[in-house]
Protein backbone atom coordinates (compact mmCIF):
# COMPACT_ATOMS: atom_id res chain seq x y z
CA UNK A 1 0.00 0.00 0.00
CA UNK A 2 1.28 3.45 -0.78
CA UNK A 3 0.55 6.55 1.24
CA UNK A 4 0.63 10.21 0.43
CA UNK A 5 3.72 11.88 1.96
CA UNK A 6 3.40 14.39 4.78
CA UNK A 7 4.69 17.87 3.93
CA UNK A 8 6.79 19.04 6.89
CA UNK A 9 7.10 22.78 7.49
CA UNK A 10 10.49 24.51 7.20
CA UNK A 11 12.05 25.75 10.45
CA UNK A 12 12.11 29.54 10.22
CA UNK A 13 12.16 30.89 13.80
CA UNK A 14 12.24 29.76 17.42
CA UNK A 15 8.77 31.19 17.93
CA UNK A 16 7.42 29.23 14.97
CA UNK A 17 9.04 25.98 16.13
CA UNK A 18 8.07 26.32 19.81
CA UNK A 19 4.81 28.24 19.84
CA UNK A 20 2.99 27.59 16.57
CA UNK A 21 1.01 24.71 15.13
CA UNK A 22 3.52 24.23 12.29
CA UNK A 23 4.72 20.63 12.13
CA UNK A 24 8.45 21.18 11.56
CA UNK A 25 10.31 18.13 12.90
CA UNK A 26 14.10 18.36 13.08
CA UNK A 27 15.89 15.34 11.63
CA UNK A 28 19.56 15.05 12.59
CA UNK A 29 22.49 14.65 10.19
CA UNK A 30 21.59 10.96 9.83
CA UNK A 31 18.03 11.92 8.88
CA UNK A 32 16.67 10.63 12.18
CA UNK A 33 14.48 11.96 14.99
CA UNK A 34 14.40 10.46 18.49
CA UNK A 35 11.24 8.56 19.41
CA UNK A 36 10.15 7.73 22.96
CA UNK A 37 7.41 5.16 23.46
CA UNK A 38 5.33 4.77 26.62
CA UNK A 39 2.40 2.52 27.49
CA UNK A 40 -0.74 4.64 27.03
CA UNK A 41 -2.36 3.18 30.14
CA UNK A 42 0.44 2.68 32.68
CA UNK A 43 2.81 5.46 31.56
CA UNK A 44 5.63 2.90 31.63
CA UNK A 45 8.52 3.65 29.28
CA UNK A 46 8.59 0.79 26.79
CA UNK A 47 11.41 1.75 24.43
CA UNK A 48 13.42 4.54 22.90
CA UNK A 49 14.18 4.44 19.20
CA UNK A 50 14.49 6.55 16.07
CA UNK A 51 12.36 7.45 13.07
CA UNK A 52 13.31 8.69 9.65
CA UNK A 53 10.84 10.79 7.64
CA UNK A 54 9.26 7.69 6.11
CA UNK A 55 8.77 5.99 9.50
CA UNK A 56 7.16 9.15 10.86
CA UNK A 57 4.87 9.43 7.85
CA UNK A 58 3.86 5.75 8.09
CA UNK A 59 3.20 6.09 11.83
CA UNK A 60 0.89 9.04 11.17
CA UNK A 61 -0.87 7.42 8.19
CA UNK A 62 -1.38 3.96 9.68
CA UNK A 63 -1.65 4.71 13.42
CA UNK A 64 0.88 1.93 14.07
CA UNK A 65 4.42 2.64 15.27
CA UNK A 66 7.14 2.53 12.64
CA UNK A 67 10.79 3.17 13.46
CA UNK A 68 14.13 3.19 11.69
CA UNK A 69 16.46 0.48 12.92
CA UNK A 70 19.98 1.88 13.22
CA UNK A 71 21.55 -1.55 13.75
CA UNK A 72 19.78 -3.13 10.76
CA UNK A 73 19.57 0.14 8.74
CA UNK A 74 16.02 -0.51 7.60
CA UNK A 75 12.54 0.86 8.07
CA UNK A 76 11.01 -1.13 10.90
CA UNK A 77 7.31 -1.76 11.32
CA UNK A 78 7.38 -2.66 15.02
CA UNK A 79 5.79 -6.07 15.54
CA UNK A 80 5.98 -7.18 11.91
CA UNK A 81 8.06 -10.21 12.99
CA UNK A 82 6.85 -10.75 16.55
CA UNK A 83 3.18 -9.73 16.12
CA UNK A 84 3.67 -7.25 18.99
CA UNK A 85 2.51 -4.19 17.07
CA UNK A 86 2.05 -0.84 18.79
CA UNK A 87 -1.23 1.00 18.25
CA UNK A 88 -0.64 4.73 18.64
CA UNK A 89 -3.20 6.28 20.97
CA UNK A 90 -1.52 9.67 20.95
CA UNK A 91 1.47 11.17 19.19
CA UNK A 92 3.19 14.26 20.61
CA UNK A 93 6.21 16.39 19.77
CA UNK A 94 8.45 18.43 22.03
CA UNK A 95 9.22 22.15 22.23
CA UNK A 96 12.05 22.27 19.69
CA UNK A 97 10.50 19.45 17.64
CA UNK A 98 13.45 17.06 17.77
CA UNK A 99 11.70 14.31 19.74
CA UNK A 100 8.48 12.35 19.18
CA UNK A 101 6.46 10.79 22.01
CA UNK A 102 4.29 7.80 21.18
CA UNK A 103 1.62 6.72 23.68
CA UNK A 104 0.76 3.18 22.56
CA UNK A 105 -1.14 0.03 23.32
CA UNK A 106 0.92 -3.06 22.58
CA UNK A 107 -0.65 -6.20 21.15
CA UNK A 108 0.60 -9.09 23.30
CA UNK A 109 1.88 -6.79 26.01
CA UNK A 110 5.62 -6.96 25.27
CA UNK A 111 7.88 -4.42 23.60
CA UNK A 112 11.38 -5.69 24.24
CA UNK A 113 13.33 -8.10 22.03
CA UNK A 114 14.78 -9.74 25.17
CA UNK A 115 11.23 -10.88 26.04
CA UNK A 116 10.27 -8.42 28.76
CA UNK A 117 7.24 -6.12 28.75
CA UNK A 118 9.47 -3.04 28.68
CA UNK A 119 13.08 -2.61 27.57
CA UNK A 120 13.68 -1.02 30.99
CA UNK A 121 13.68 -4.06 33.26
CA UNK A 122 16.68 -3.09 35.41
CA UNK A 123 17.08 -0.34 37.99
CA UNK A 124 20.22 1.65 38.70
CA UNK A 125 20.49 2.36 42.45
CA UNK A 126 20.52 6.09 43.12
CA UNK A 127 21.15 8.62 45.91
CA UNK A 128 21.29 7.03 49.35
CA UNK A 129 21.06 3.56 47.84
CA UNK A 130 24.71 3.93 46.83
CA UNK A 131 27.34 4.29 49.54
CA UNK A 132 29.47 7.40 48.99
CA UNK A 133 32.68 5.35 48.96
CA UNK A 134 31.36 2.63 46.66
CA UNK A 135 32.57 2.84 43.07
CA UNK A 136 30.71 -0.24 41.91
CA UNK A 137 27.03 -0.08 41.14
CA UNK A 138 25.10 -3.28 40.36
CA UNK A 139 21.86 -3.23 38.41
CA UNK A 140 18.70 -4.66 39.99
CA UNK A 141 16.11 -6.58 37.99
CA UNK A 142 12.58 -5.17 38.33
CA UNK A 143 10.69 -7.67 36.25
CA UNK A 144 12.24 -11.09 36.00
CA UNK A 145 9.25 -12.74 34.32
CA UNK A 146 9.63 -12.76 30.55
CA UNK A 147 6.42 -12.30 28.57
CA UNK A 148 7.69 -14.36 25.63
CA UNK A 149 10.64 -16.51 24.61
CA UNK A 150 12.78 -14.56 22.12
CA UNK A 151 14.12 -17.72 20.48
CA UNK A 152 10.60 -18.89 19.75
CA UNK A 153 9.57 -15.54 18.30
CA UNK A 154 12.70 -14.41 16.47
CA UNK A 155 14.43 -17.74 15.79
CA UNK A 156 17.88 -17.17 14.31
CA UNK A 157 17.45 -13.47 13.53
CA UNK A 158 20.53 -11.52 14.66
CA UNK A 159 20.29 -9.78 18.05
CA UNK A 160 20.02 -5.99 17.53
CA UNK A 161 22.25 -5.12 20.50
CA UNK A 162 25.60 -3.66 19.50
CA UNK A 163 28.47 -3.84 21.98
CA UNK B 1 31.43 19.14 46.62
CA UNK B 2 33.33 16.31 45.02
CA UNK B 3 32.02 12.81 44.54
CA UNK B 4 33.71 9.50 44.05
CA UNK B 5 33.43 8.39 40.38
CA UNK B 6 31.31 5.40 39.38
CA UNK B 7 33.26 2.56 37.77
CA UNK B 8 31.29 1.41 34.72
CA UNK B 9 31.72 -2.19 33.55
CA UNK B 10 33.24 -2.93 30.15
CA UNK B 11 30.88 -4.36 27.50
CA UNK B 12 32.04 -7.90 26.81
CA UNK B 13 29.04 -9.84 25.48
CA UNK B 14 25.38 -9.43 24.57
CA UNK B 15 24.40 -11.73 27.41
CA UNK B 16 26.38 -9.63 29.90
CA UNK B 17 24.87 -6.36 28.65
CA UNK B 18 21.27 -7.61 28.42
CA UNK B 19 20.93 -10.24 31.11
CA UNK B 20 23.40 -9.46 33.90
CA UNK B 21 23.57 -6.93 36.71
CA UNK B 22 26.71 -5.33 35.27
CA UNK B 23 26.27 -1.59 34.84
CA UNK B 24 27.84 -1.09 31.40
CA UNK B 25 26.29 2.02 29.84
CA UNK B 26 27.10 2.70 26.19
CA UNK B 27 28.14 6.27 25.49
CA UNK B 28 28.06 7.29 21.82
CA UNK B 29 30.92 8.83 19.84
CA UNK B 30 30.15 12.19 21.48
CA UNK B 31 30.41 10.57 24.91
CA UNK B 32 26.66 10.84 25.49
CA UNK B 33 23.82 8.52 26.46
CA UNK B 34 20.15 9.29 25.79
CA UNK B 35 18.05 10.14 28.86
CA UNK B 36 14.25 10.00 29.00
CA UNK B 37 12.48 11.69 31.90
CA UNK B 38 8.93 10.97 33.01
CA UNK B 39 6.83 12.23 35.90
CA UNK B 40 7.02 9.52 38.58
CA UNK B 41 3.35 9.94 39.48
CA UNK B 42 1.53 10.63 36.22
CA UNK B 43 3.84 8.79 33.80
CA UNK B 44 3.84 11.89 31.61
CA UNK B 45 6.92 12.32 29.44
CA UNK B 46 8.58 15.51 30.62
CA UNK B 47 11.71 15.75 28.50
CA UNK B 48 14.33 13.85 26.53
CA UNK B 49 17.96 14.83 26.92
CA UNK B 50 21.48 13.48 27.13
CA UNK B 51 24.00 12.66 29.85
CA UNK B 52 27.75 12.33 29.72
CA UNK B 53 29.54 10.11 32.24
CA UNK B 54 29.83 12.96 34.73
CA UNK B 55 26.12 13.83 34.54
CA UNK B 56 25.23 10.17 35.06
CA UNK B 57 27.57 9.89 38.04
CA UNK B 58 26.19 13.10 39.60
CA UNK B 59 22.60 11.93 39.06
CA UNK B 60 23.40 8.68 40.86
CA UNK B 61 25.35 10.35 43.68
CA UNK B 62 22.97 13.24 44.37
CA UNK B 63 19.59 11.77 43.41
CA UNK B 64 18.91 14.91 41.35
CA UNK B 65 18.82 14.87 37.56
CA UNK B 66 21.92 16.14 35.78
CA UNK B 67 22.20 16.27 32.01
CA UNK B 68 24.68 17.40 29.38
CA UNK B 69 23.43 20.31 27.34
CA UNK B 70 24.35 19.78 23.69
CA UNK B 71 23.39 23.34 22.71
CA UNK B 72 25.39 24.96 25.50
CA UNK B 73 28.02 22.17 25.69
CA UNK B 74 28.07 22.13 29.48
CA UNK B 75 27.12 19.89 32.35
CA UNK B 76 23.60 20.87 33.33
CA UNK B 77 22.14 20.51 36.82
CA UNK B 78 18.48 20.70 35.83
CA UNK B 79 16.76 23.45 37.79
CA UNK B 80 19.96 25.22 38.87
CA UNK B 81 18.69 28.40 37.17
CA UNK B 82 14.92 27.97 37.37
CA UNK B 83 14.70 26.20 40.73
CA UNK B 84 12.72 23.43 39.00
CA UNK B 85 14.99 20.58 40.09
CA UNK B 86 14.09 16.96 39.39
CA UNK B 87 14.25 14.50 42.29
CA UNK B 88 14.94 11.03 40.93
CA UNK B 89 12.51 8.48 42.37
CA UNK B 90 13.78 5.69 40.16
CA UNK B 91 16.54 5.32 37.58
CA UNK B 92 16.37 2.53 34.99
CA UNK B 93 18.41 1.40 32.02
CA UNK B 94 17.33 -0.42 28.88
CA UNK B 95 18.25 -3.81 27.43
CA UNK B 96 21.36 -2.74 25.48
CA UNK B 97 22.21 -0.07 28.06
CA UNK B 98 22.22 2.91 25.70
CA UNK B 99 19.25 4.72 27.25
CA UNK B 100 18.53 5.90 30.80
CA UNK B 101 15.01 6.38 32.15
CA UNK B 102 14.51 8.85 35.01
CA UNK B 103 11.25 8.76 36.97
CA UNK B 104 11.21 12.12 38.76
CA UNK B 105 9.27 14.51 40.90
CA UNK B 106 9.70 18.10 39.76
CA UNK B 107 9.90 20.95 42.22
CA UNK B 108 7.47 23.61 40.96
CA UNK B 109 5.79 21.23 38.55
CA UNK B 110 7.37 22.44 35.29
CA UNK B 111 10.12 20.89 33.20
CA UNK B 112 10.05 22.82 29.95
CA UNK B 113 12.02 25.99 29.22
CA UNK B 114 9.03 27.33 27.25
CA UNK B 115 7.08 27.38 30.53
CA UNK B 116 4.89 24.31 30.19
CA UNK B 117 4.73 21.37 32.61
CA UNK B 118 6.07 19.02 29.95
CA UNK B 119 8.10 19.71 26.81
CA UNK B 120 5.44 17.71 24.96
CA UNK B 121 2.56 20.18 24.85
CA UNK B 122 1.51 19.61 21.25
CA UNK B 123 -0.14 16.61 19.61
CA UNK B 124 0.44 15.37 16.08
CA UNK B 125 -2.83 14.07 14.61
CA UNK B 126 -2.54 10.40 13.68
CA UNK B 127 -4.39 7.62 11.80
CA UNK B 128 -7.98 8.52 10.98
CA UNK B 129 -7.48 12.06 12.27
CA UNK B 130 -5.53 12.78 9.07
CA UNK B 131 -7.35 12.56 5.74
CA UNK B 132 -5.55 10.24 3.33
CA UNK B 133 -5.25 12.99 0.70
CA UNK B 134 -4.09 15.68 3.12
CA UNK B 135 -0.37 16.44 2.99
CA UNK B 136 -0.48 19.12 5.65
CA UNK B 137 -0.64 18.22 9.30
CA UNK B 138 -1.14 20.95 11.93
CA UNK B 139 -0.09 20.44 15.53
CA UNK B 140 -2.69 20.74 18.30
CA UNK B 141 -1.91 22.30 21.69
CA UNK B 142 -2.74 20.02 24.63
CA UNK B 143 -1.83 22.30 27.48
CA UNK B 144 -2.03 25.99 26.72
CA UNK B 145 -1.62 27.13 30.32
CA UNK B 146 2.00 27.96 31.09
CA UNK B 147 3.20 27.09 34.59
CA UNK B 148 5.75 29.90 34.63
CA UNK B 149 6.88 32.87 32.55
CA UNK B 150 10.22 32.00 30.90
CA UNK B 151 11.30 35.64 30.71
CA UNK B 152 10.84 36.03 34.44
CA UNK B 153 12.78 32.85 35.21
CA UNK B 154 15.55 32.90 32.61
CA UNK B 155 15.79 36.62 31.80
CA UNK B 156 18.11 37.17 28.86
CA UNK B 157 19.67 33.69 28.83
CA UNK B 158 19.83 32.39 25.25
CA UNK B 159 17.03 30.07 24.15
CA UNK B 160 18.38 26.50 23.84
CA UNK B 161 16.35 25.67 20.73
CA UNK B 162 18.47 25.27 17.60
CA UNK B 163 16.79 25.70 14.24
Amino acid sequence: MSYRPIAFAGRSSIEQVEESTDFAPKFDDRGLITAVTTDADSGELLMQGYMNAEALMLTIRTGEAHYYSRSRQVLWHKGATSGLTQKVEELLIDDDQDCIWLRVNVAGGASCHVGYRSCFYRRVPVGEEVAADNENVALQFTDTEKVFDPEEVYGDAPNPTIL
Side-chain angles (χ1 to χ4, degrees), chain A:
Chain A
M1 184 155 178
S2 94
Y3 296 94
R4 189 151 186 187
I6 302 286
F8 303 122
R11 294 168 64 89
S12 56
S13 73
I14 288 175
E15 191 181 351
Q16 174 229 12
V17 168
E18 291 187 347
E19 306 268 15
S20 87
T21 60
D22 284 8
F23 186 32
K26 183 181 175 76
F27 297 95
D28 67 14
D29 48 18
R30 303 163 299 182
L32 302 178
I33 190 166
T34 299
V36 173
T37 306
T38 62
D39 185 291
D41 296 322
S42 70
E44 185 176 30
L45 182 59
L46 297 175
M47 55 178 283
Q48 180 267 318
Y50 297 89
M51 292 179 174
N52 61 6
E54 189 184 6
L56 180 53
M57 180 277 286
L58 285 169
T59 300
I60 291 170
R61 290 289 186 211
T62 67
E64 290 196 357
H66 290 68
Y67 302 93
Y68 181 82
S69 165
R70 291 184 307 167
S71 55
R72 291 180 286 134
Q73 303 194 339
V74 289
L75 181 76
W76 172 27
H77 178 195
K78 175 77 183 166
T81 302
S82 65
L84 308 172
T85 52
Q86 297 176 339
K87 182 173 182 306
V88 180
E89 299 298 330
E90 193 170 37
L91 195 66
L92 297 106
I93 196 160
D94 72 337
D95 42 26
D96 59 352
Q97 302 201 32
D98 69 354
C99 185
I100 296 280
W101 176 17
L102 299 89
R103 296 182 58 235
V104 306
N105 281 311
V106 185
S111 280
C112 174
H113 77 276
V114 183
Y116 295 105
R117 193 175 70 246
S118 158
C119 293
F120 295 80
Y121 48 83
R122 288 172 298 184
R123 300 175 70 238
V124 185
V126 66
E128 292 170 2
E129 295 174 330
V130 185
D133 61 350
N134 185 1
E135 285 197 345
N136 295 300
V137 166
L139 302 179
Q140 300 162 351
F141 280 79
T142 60
D143 182 355
T144 49
E145 198 78 28
K146 291 195 183 186
V147 178
F148 68 90
D149 176 354
E151 271 184 40
E152 233 167 69
V153 169
Y154 297 112
D156 293 333
N159 188 303
T161 290
I162 295 172
L163 292 181

